[in-house]
Amino acid sequence: MIVLKEGQGQPMSLKERVHFLDIVRGFAMLGIIIVNYFLIVDSVKGFDMASVDVFRNLVSWFADGKFVTLFSFLFGVGFIIFMDRAAQRVENPTKLFARRLSILLGFGVLHITFVWVGDILAFYAVIGFLLLAFYKLTPQMILRWIIALIVIQCLTPVFTMLYNVVNTASPAMSKFGDFTLSSHNSGLTYLESIGVRWADMATMASSSFPTVYSMFIMFLLGVYFVKMGFFEKMEEKKNIWKRIWVISTTAFLITQSSILLELIKPFENMLWMEIPSILGQSGGLTGSMFYMSTLAMLFIHVPQMRSVLMIFTKVGRMSLTCYLLHSIIGTVLFLGYGFGLADQIQSSGTFMIGLAVYVVLIVFSTLWLRWFKNGPVEFIWRKLTYAK
């Protein structure tokens, strides 16, 4: 039983919300929709790693891995804000957060079972429990953890490369292009896809450690930003955000150079062939920080842009609802048990459908929030978390 302090533990009210975080969350949702729709279509048609298609390559270079990483950052931000507020309201905020994660895990399991195998909610819920061990650490200690984890992440491909050079008899690594999602088979009915979906999930989970590892780094980075107060009175921290933007932009350009290295001069030397892989390893982190800090620079330095950026806030406030809705809409549109568009649509069409669905979600969120304070799934999550 959770013992309440003065008053009752409740979610963050509308007045307490930071508009900028809702902008970033809504912007991240746009990228997630487009990337996921390309993933669904490509998994039906087969992954073409040598594709020269403009839309597909643009999504791969500038969106793939960046927006889900940004969403992970925001999950860490949400964790620390939730815990700080809960600590002022209840005797045991850890138990309250554990309940919140358990409910999120339930949403994830339902999402996988009945909608789509590409769920991130279950991963967030399971990994989120690790954050409890970092809640009371100082910002300096959390930063040390982040740096250590990033160094390990960057060095892993190097050691793997050296091992493969020394051990020439080592088995070949499976290529991403060989990966298929059986639940996306056009010949399956909806009921048949449910069982196959969990088989796909088992396959994906077995190779998900690099993704999970990156998620956790971003969780900690989000915690660090909140503990440092970067989102409080942002106008007074212009110089800090300028430095963050310069560092993020520089790092992003460096990691994106892996694209040029692969396109301009394919390396024949195995040692040099791994350089794009090493740079690309951190592409999600640098890309997400570049997009977030660019939004911050616009928000702080160009007040005229705020009204435009506020368009993202409605989806941002209903991000859980919109996340579930986008996958429901996408699977119905693209997979065989729905309209089956994946078999015939071009990449430009996939991109345009992603934009159109996002516009629909903006309209839906705007209309819904005129009448209610929370999205429908957020409302259920709130009620179950606070047992109200």
Side-chain angles (χ1 to χ4, degrees):
M1 179 179 178
I2 297 172
V3 180
L4 300 176
K5 292 183 179 178
E6 183 178 343
Q8 188 175 26
Q10 298 202 10
M12 185 181 298
S13 68
L14 182 58
K15 292 182 179 179
E16 292 174 299
R17 297 186 71 92
V18 181
H19 285 308
F20 176 70
L21 292 177
D22 286 332
I23 290 170
V24 178
R25 194 174 288 111
F27 179 73
M29 183 58 61
L30 171 60
I32 287 174
I33 291 172
I34 293 174
V35 170
N36 283 349
Y37 283 3
F38 270 87
L39 175 60
I40 294 174
V41 171
D42 287 345
S43 66
V44 173
K45 290 183 173 182
F47 293 96
D48 182 5
M49 305 305 288
S51 172
V52 293
D53 182 272
V54 174
F55 281 95
R56 181 175 283 101
N57 285 335
L58 286 175
V59 170
S60 176
W61 295 339
F62 298 106
D64 193 19
K66 276 75 172 176
F67 290 96
V68 68
T69 305
L70 182 54
F71 223 59
S72 301
F73 171 86
L74 293 167
F75 184 89
V77 170
F79 159 75
I80 200 69
I81 292 176
F82 178 90
M83 289 293 290
D84 284 347
R85 193 170 191 279
Q88 300 173 4
R89 304 282 183 134
V90 301
E91 295 292 342
N92 193 343
T94 298
K95 187 175 181 180
L96 189 65
F97 185 69
R99 179 194 289 175
R100 182 176 176 84
L101 288 179
S102 299
I103 297 165
L104 184 64
L105 178 60
F107 286 144
V109 170
L110 292 174
H111 185 219
I112 296 169
T113 302
F114 297 107
V115 184
W116 188 45
V117 69
D119 174 78
I120 60 171
L121 302 181
F123 284 107
Y124 280 11
V126 173
I127 308 167
F129 281 99
L130 295 176
L131 285 175
L132 294 171
F134 294 81
Y135 172 58
K136 294 185 178 180
L137 295 185
T138 64
Q140 293 74 21
M141 183 59 68
I142 291 175
L143 182 60
R144 290 172 188 167
W145 271 95
I146 293 170
I147 294 172
L149 290 172
I150 292 175
V151 169
I152 293 172
Q153 185 183 48
C154 292
L155 290 179
T156 298
V158 178
F159 290 126
T160 302
M161 171 193 66
L162 293 175
Y163 174 79
N164 290 335
V165 170
V166 174
N167 186 10
T168 55
S170 60
M173 297 292 290
S174 61
K175 297 180 180 180
F176 182 72
D178 297 331
F179 181 76
T180 59
L181 293 175
S182 300
S183 57
H184 290 181
N185 190 310
S186 299
L188 293 177
T189 66
Y190 174 73
L191 292 179
E192 290 171 339
S193 72
I194 293 176
V196 179
R197 200 173 290 129
W198 275 103
D200 282 346
M201 188 63 193
T203 302
M204 292 178 67
S206 66
S207 59
S208 65
F209 180 76
T211 301
V212 170
Y213 190 92
S214 297
M215 281 182 183
F216 187 64
I217 292 175
M218 297 308 297
F219 286 179
L220 290 182
L221 194 58
V223 171
Y224 175 74
F225 267 59
V226 176
K227 281 183 173 286
M228 291 297 293
F230 291 155
F231 297 117
E232 298 174 5
K233 299 179 180 179
M234 292 177 63
E235 291 82 359
E236 299 176 7
K237 299 181 173 67
K238 291 182 178 180
N239 290 333
I240 293 176
W241 277 105
K242 183 178 180 180
R243 287 197 294 270
I244 293 173
W245 182 79
V246 169
I247 294 172
S248 299
T249 303
T250 304
F252 181 55
L253 291 174
I254 293 173
T255 55
Q256 288 300 97
S257 67
S258 63
I259 299 171
L260 297 177
L261 291 176
E262 290 179 332
L263 293 178
I264 297 175
K265 186 179 180 181
F267 296 106
E268 296 181 2
N269 185 295
M270 180 175 287
L271 294 174
W272 289 104
M273 283 176 63
E274 292 298 326
I275 292 179
S277 174
I278 295 170
L279 291 174
Q281 193 78 247
S282 302
L285 188 156
T286 61
S288 62
M289 289 297 97
F290 166 72
Y291 291 137
M292 191 267 291
S293 60
T294 299
L295 289 173
M297 293 295 285
L298 292 174
F299 187 80
I300 295 171
H301 293 280
V302 191
Q304 300 86 344
M305 283 291 295
R306 290 190 183 182
S307 59
V308 177
L309 295 175
M310 291 296 283
I311 294 174
F312 295 111
T313 60
K314 305 303 182 183
V315 172
R317 285 175 56 193
M318 289 177 49
S319 56
L320 180 56
T321 296
C322 290
Y323 174 77
L324 295 173
L325 281 176
H326 102 273
S327 58
I328 293 172
I329 296 171
T331 51
V332 170
L333 287 177
F334 295 121
L335 296 185
Y337 56 74
F339 292 94
L341 295 182
D343 287 318
Q344 52 194 349
I345 198 169
Q346 299 299 315
S347 60
S348 57
T350 305
F351 185 83
M352 295 308 297
I353 286 179
L355 291 180
V357 168
Y358 189 76
V359 171
V360 170
L361 292 178
I362 289 177
V363 173
F364 170 71
S365 301
T366 301
L367 294 175
W368 183 277
L369 292 173
R370 285 183 181 177
W371 299 95
F372 305 98
K373 291 183 178 180
N374 305 102
V377 183
E378 286 80 4
F379 175 79
I380 295 171
W381 196 15
R382 163 187 174 176
K383 290 295 183 182
L384 293 176
T385 298
Y386 297 92
K388 291 180 59 183

